Amino acid sequence: LGGHSAGGHLATLALSNTNLLHEFNILNPLRHFRGVIGMCGVYNLPRLASLPFGPKLIENVFDPTLESLILASPFHAVDVDPTCPLVQLPCLLLNSEEDFHLEQDAKELISKLQTLHPLPDSHRRHVIVPGTNHLTIIATVGRSNYITTDAIFDFIQAHKLT
């Protein structure tokens, strides 16, 4: 499961909420998902809301109360459900070289996942894609011999069903 920007946020958030997955009749998520790939995702909404431009980004999408932002943040949601699939699955988080505060979000999420459920480093990776920004990184997916494509294909190959 994966996505870019809001899609990266939603992919990780879905896997951080076992009850939500059960509502969609995904009763054994570890059987259905082999890992998560987040690209330039927002994993800590309270941090985003605290930035000068944050409230404008938050107000039309989320209830701006701190409690709601915490519940909608994968970084915080894993504290509520520390055995959720996100904690147990392999995880690849990619960021562009110029990615606001999102690189810090990714590093902290990887660190928290490792604390809650240690996995080998090859199962939890954070990759910075040089020469890209939040929007241009997506154009690098699929380029031959490029860090983005290589990281994603290597991750999928390492964690595919056998």
Side-chain angles (χ1 to χ4, degrees), residues 78-90:
V78 295
D79 294 328
V80 175
D81 188 358
T83 61
C84 67
L86 181 60
V87 172
Q88 300 177 57
L89 287 168

Side-chain angles (χ1 to χ4, degrees), residues 39-56:
M39 184 180 294
C40 305
V42 179
Y43 308 118
N44 188 339
L45 289 170
R47 177 181 290 132
L48 175 61
S50 73
L51 298 173
F53 58 85
K56 284 290 179 200

Side-chain angles (χ1 to χ4, degrees), residues 5-152:
S5 195
H9 168 254
L10 291 173
T12 54
L13 185 62
L15 292 174
S16 70
N17 188 328
T18 305
N19 291 330
L20 175 68
L21 294 169
H22 288 177
E23 285 179 31
F24 286 93
N25 207 30
I26 302 171
L27 303 178
N28 186 354
L30 297 179
R31 206 172 121 229
H32 296 283
F33 301 103
R34 301 296 297 162
V36 62
I37 300 171
M39 184 180 294
C40 305
V42 179
Y43 308 118
N44 188 339
L45 289 170
R47 177 181 290 132
L48 175 61
S50 73
L51 298 173
F53 58 85
K56 284 290 179 200
L57 296 174
I58 296 287
E59 67 188 16
N60 293 320
V61 182
F62 298 97
D63 173 351
T65 63
L66 181 59
E67 181 182 354
S68 293
L69 295 176
I70 286 172
L71 290 173
S73 297
F75 178 79
H76 298 287
V78 295
D79 294 328
V80 175
D81 188 358
T83 61
C84 67
L86 181 60
V87 172
Q88 300 177 57
L89 287 168
C91 181
L92 170 64
L93 300 181
L94 300 111
N95 286 98
S96 61
E97 185 174 42
E98 300 172 31
D99 213 3
F100 313 107
H101 68 285
L102 302 178
E103 180 181 338
Q104 185 178 356
D105 279 14
K107 287 179 181 177
E108 290 175 357
L109 181 57
I110 291 280
S111 178
K112 183 177 270 193
L113 295 175
Q114 277 299 94
T115 299
L116 292 170
H117 185 81
L119 290 175
D121 288 345
S122 63
H123 285 57
R124 296 229 171 91
R125 292 191 57 214
H126 179 234
V127 175
I128 305 293
V129 181
T132 61
N133 65 38
H134 189 77
L135 298 176
T136 61
I137 189 173
I138 201 70
T140 68
V141 176
R143 285 188 189 167
S144 296
N145 300 314
Y146 203 82
I147 188 171
T148 316
T149 305
D150 292 346
I152 292 170

